[in-house]
Amino acid sequence: MGDQADKLRKIVGNIGSPVNAGFKQRKGVARVITVTSGKGGVGKTNITVNLAIVLSRMGLRVAILDVDFGFANVDVMLGISAKYTLLELIRGERNIFEVLTDGPDNIQFLSGGSGVEELIQLEKEQVVEFISNISLLDKIFDVILIDTGAGLSKNIMSFILAADEVLLVTTPEPTAITDAYAMIKMISKQDKHRIVKLVVNKAESYKEANEIMDKLLMVSDKFLSFKLQKTGYILRDECIPKAVRQQKPFCISYPKSQASHQITELAMNLLYNNEGITNMNLHSKGIRGFFSRLLSSYGVQH
């Protein structure tokens, strides 16, 4: 128990920047943001990792939960091997403090490991224990970014619909735009009030990025009566593939790059509205609420 307490103090002790004083949340509840995409290869995980680091530098306590089951690569992106995964937590073999892995700039990450099938097959007592364990993240972190797989499978849609907010990443590639719209359509059928924030990656220019966002906003509003939010863009930057090959986030390897400035703008757009007022006080139900909704979508009693 002493080791657990030491790790908790270390994690909580990472916060302390005066910047954080402006972000007051509901007591004990993290802001949970699911990062997803309609298709693979759009740079979703890269954005998740760099966004986490920038938010941490702003004074927030940030964790990444990698649930891209079978293709989990947050640890690959960071060049850090996770000793344990979510699977050990689900099975009750390790506690939450043991499965968290230290990342750069004080972020923490939890590798997904196996599929959600392990979770939905738990007995009720095991589910209660898991929820109790995972809920501790609400007391430790201000923001939890959930990196999902790409596509429209039931598992991925369940993770999307369990979140308070969705960050949807697309690129100018026609198939990526089409798949992003297909995902928006599926989300809108389930919940017209879901908060979906749009990010365009790998655009050639500011004009191209905004044209794509405006087009998706227009067709979603016109044909689905669904309101998207323009949140940011990352233009094509040669430093990004270089950083990927180095297994280092680009905001660390190339802090003065165009991409690093734009991921910072994206973080600011997540934290503040147009009037400069903090967005941290959203009606978040935290990570406990996230997993409760996720389990309910599979009919699991808890």
Side-chain angles (χ1 to χ4, degrees), residues 28-48:
V29 178
R31 181 175 174 182
V32 179
I33 304 172
T34 291
V35 188
T36 193
S37 61
K39 71 181 293 290
V42 301
K44 168 183 57 63
T45 299
N46 210 342
I47 286 177
T48 302

Side-chain angles (χ1 to χ4, degrees), residues 95-163:
N95 62 49
I96 191 64
F97 303 102
E98 293 172 304
V99 297
L100 284 169
T101 302
D102 294 333
D105 284 82
N106 295 327
I107 69 168
Q108 305 276 319
F109 70 94
L110 176 50
S111 187
S114 187
V116 74
E117 287 78 12
E118 292 272 351
L119 183 58
I120 63 178
Q121 289 174 6
L122 294 178
E123 298 294 330
K124 185 174 181 179
E125 294 77 14
Q126 293 173 305
V127 171
V128 170
E129 179 65 22
F130 171 77
I131 292 289
S132 176
N133 229 326
I134 203 78
S135 296
L136 289 172
L137 296 180
D138 278 327
K139 301 183 183 301
I140 300 172
F141 297 105
D142 298 304
V143 179
I144 299 172
L145 300 176
I146 299 180
D147 186 31
T148 76
L152 305 175
S153 70
K154 175 177 172 53
N155 283 354
I156 291 169
M157 291 306 300
S158 295
F159 276 101
I160 290 170
L161 294 169

